[in-house]
Amino acid sequence: MALTLEQAQRVGYTCLKALLRFAFMVANNLVAIPSYVLYLIVLQPLRILDSKSFWYIEGVLFKWLLAMVASWGWWAGYTVVEWGDDVKAVSEDEAMVLVNHQATGDVCTLMMCLQDKGTVVRQMMWLMDHIFKYTNFGIVSLIHGDFFIRQGKAHRDQQLVLLQDHLEKYYWSRNRKWIVLFPEGGFLRKRRETSQAFAKKNNLPFLKHVTLPRLGATQVILKTLVAPQENGTPPGGDAVRKESKSKGLQWVIDTTIAYPKAEPIDIQTWILGYRQPTVTHVHYRIFPVKDVPAEPEALTNWLYQRFIEKEDLLTHFYETGAFPPPQGQTKAISREMTLSNLWLVAIQSFAFLSGGMWYCLFQYLYHCLF
C-alpha cells in the first residue's frame, strides 16, 4: 500500500531524528568515556594517598555517565512513573535490588529512575552478563568494579566463587551501597519456555510475565554481605567491612518494571528514539534483610514467592494500566520521576568540554615532543 504524503513526511522525520540522535550518542561516547578514563588515570596518585576520596570522585563521574545515558531516553519522552515503597528512605543504607528482566532497556530505565535517589548511583554495583564487558561501556564498568557473570551450567559454580571473591575485594573497599542483579538470568523472551517447562515438572506456578529466578547469585550476595548478627553466618572480608564501618546489607528491594502493552524498550529504541513517548512503570517493595531466610531451601521458596508476586503485579498492570494498591489500602499512589533538563545539559556540556580539553592537551604534548 502506497504511503500518503503525510505518512512519508512522518517516516522521513523519524528517520532523520534517529540519525541525528545516533550521531549525538556516538559523539557523546567518544568524549565522555575517554574523559572518564583519563581523569581517573591522572588521579591515580590520589588513589594511593586517599583511596576513599578517589572512589568518591570516580562515583560522581560514574553517576554523570549514567545520567548521560538516562538523558537519551528522557529527551525522547521515555519517562518513568514509580509505585509502591519510597526507596529514597533507604538510599543511604545498603541494599540488594532484585529486578525482572525483559529487554536491554531495563538497565537504561534503572539508570534513569535511580538518578534522583541520593548517592545510590555513584555507590552502586551492577551484576550483568559478561557480554556487556565488550560494549562501549564495558571499560567504565570494569573500572567502577561491576561484576560480569557468565551464564550456563558449565560456568555456574566457578562464577559464584568468582562473585564472592569480587564482593570481598571491591564492595567494602570502594564503599558500595546498593547491588543490582537480575535473578532470572536472562531476558523473559529467551527464558520463558524453559522456565515454564521447569515449573510444570516441579509442580510450581505457571508464570507468563516473569520466569522463575535462579538462586546462586542472590545466595552468594546475602552470605557475603549480610552482617553476622543479621543471618548468623560470618560474611567474607569481615575485616574490610569493619574498616569501612559498613553495617552490611539491611534491605532487599524487589523492583518490578512494567511496559505499556507488555512491549519493552530495547537499547536501540532508547538510542534512536523512534518509538512514540512512553511511560515505563516501576514498582518497589522493600524487605528488611533480617526477614529473608538464609537456608538454601527456604531462600529459594522466598525468592520464588517474590517472582510469583511480580507475576500478579504485572497481570494487574496489563489488565488495568496501574499496579494494585498495597495490602490494606484502597488506592495505589504513583509518583512521576523527574530529571532536571538544566542539570542534564550541564553534564553533557562538561563531557564535551572535557573532550576538547584532552584533545588540546594531547595536541600540545604531541607538538612539544615531535
Side-chain angles (χ1 to χ4, degrees):
M1 185 173 63
L3 291 176
T4 65
L5 178 60
E6 183 180 352
Q7 290 173 328
Q9 289 176 334
R10 190 182 302 117
V11 170
Y13 171 75
T14 300
C15 291
L16 177 61
K17 183 178 70 171
L19 181 62
L20 292 174
R21 284 176 58 88
F22 181 75
F24 176 79
M25 183 274 293
V26 171
N28 200 182
N29 276 268
L30 288 176
V31 296
I33 294 176
S35 293
Y36 166 88
V37 174
L38 290 168
Y39 276 126
L40 296 182
I41 290 175
V42 170
L43 289 171
Q44 286 303 304
L46 178 63
R47 182 178 181 179
I48 298 172
L49 297 172
D50 187 354
S51 176
K52 184 177 180 180
S53 295
F54 173 86
W55 289 113
Y56 175 86
I57 295 171
E58 184 278 332
V60 171
L61 295 175
F62 183 79
K63 179 177 180 177
W64 289 354
L65 283 178
L66 267 58
M68 292 177 201
V69 176
S71 72
W72 305 341
W74 181 257
W75 287 334
Y78 304 148
T79 58
V80 173
V81 167
E82 299 177 309
W83 303 73
D85 295 333
D86 185 1
V87 296
K88 287 184 180 180
V90 298
S91 62
E92 296 301 318
D93 298 333
E94 295 182 38
M96 175 174 65
V97 185
L98 306 175
V99 193
N100 62 314
H101 209 10
Q102 301 177 66
T104 48
D106 297 342
V107 174
C108 300
T109 296
L110 289 173
M111 288 180 178
M112 176 187 286
C113 63
L114 296 180
Q115 282 293 323
D116 66 343
K117 306 299 186 294
T119 62
V120 163
V121 176
R122 68 176 177 83
Q123 292 182 281
M124 71 195 317
M125 178 181 287
W126 296 75
L127 266 65
M128 60 192 75
D129 192 278
H130 79 287
I131 198 68
F132 194 76
K133 185 189 300 185
Y134 307 106
T135 66
N136 60 316
F137 210 77
I139 183 64
V140 174
S141 291
L142 279 170
I143 294 172
H144 184 70
D146 297 326
F147 183 76
F148 301 96
I149 192 164
R150 186 181 292 272
Q151 304 293 342
K153 292 182 180 179
H155 308 285
R156 190 168 300 161
D157 292 340
Q158 181 192 31
Q159 290 298 296
L160 295 179
V161 172
L162 292 174
L163 173 58
Q164 181 170 343
D165 291 342
H166 185 89
L167 294 173
E168 291 173 354
K169 186 176 182 180
Y170 296 118
Y171 183 84
W172 294 295
S173 65
R174 298 185 182 183
N175 194 29
R176 296 295 174 243
K177 293 286 188 180
W178 284 22
I179 182 164
V180 181
L181 69 154
F182 300 89
E184 290 165 293
F187 297 139
L188 173 64
R189 68 179 186 276
K190 293 183 177 182
R191 291 209 62 243
R192 178 159 42 199
E193 186 176 341
T194 302
S195 175
Q196 289 173 347
F198 178 84
K200 183 177 181 180
K201 182 179 179 180
N202 292 273
N203 197 29
L204 294 169
F206 180 89
L207 304 178
K208 179 181 178 182
H209 304 303
V210 295
T211 66
L212 290 170
R214 293 169 176 173
L215 177 67
T218 303
Q219 185 177 26
V220 169
I221 291 169
L222 291 172
K223 179 182 177 182
T224 309
L225 301 184
V226 175
Q229 66 270 21
E230 298 284 5
N231 70 350
T233 59
D238 192 49
V240 181
R241 184 183 65 80
K242 289 179 180 178
E243 185 178 341
S244 68
K245 298 180 181 179
S246 166
K247 298 179 181 178
L249 286 183
Q250 298 163 268
W251 311 98
V252 174
I253 303 174
D254 186 27
T255 304
T256 305
I257 299 176
Y259 299 95
K261 300 180 181 178
E263 297 176 353
I265 299 176
D266 55 27
I267 188 66
Q268 298 96 312
T269 306
W270 196 269
I271 292 170
L272 300 177
Y274 50 77
R275 182 187 290 190
Q276 291 297 310
T278 301
V279 179
T280 301
H281 297 256
V282 181
H283 183 280
Y284 305 104
R285 188 177 177 194
I286 302 174
F287 296 88
V289 78
K290 62 182 177 61
D291 294 341
V292 180
E295 294 302 317
E297 184 175 352
L299 178 58
T300 299
N301 292 333
W302 185 89
L303 195 58
Y304 280 178
Q305 188 58 41
R306 301 288 74 74
F307 277 76
I308 292 169
E309 290 174 1
K310 285 180 183 293
E311 177 77 10
D312 294 337
L313 286 171
L314 290 169
T315 298
H316 190 280
F317 177 84
Y318 295 138
E319 290 176 352
T320 66
F323 284 112
Q327 188 173 7
Q329 299 183 22
T330 58
K331 185 178 180 180
I333 305 298
S334 63
R335 307 172 293 276
E336 290 189 13
M337 184 267 161
T338 61
L339 290 176
S340 166
N341 286 313
L342 181 62
W343 178 64
L344 293 177
V345 169
I347 61 173
Q348 292 284 8
S349 300
F350 175 77
F352 282 99
L353 289 172
S354 295
M357 179 194 72
W358 290 115
Y359 176 78
C360 292
L361 179 59
F362 282 118
Q363 285 284 92
Y364 174 77
L365 292 175
Y366 176 83
H367 287 301
C368 287
L369 294 174
F370 302 102

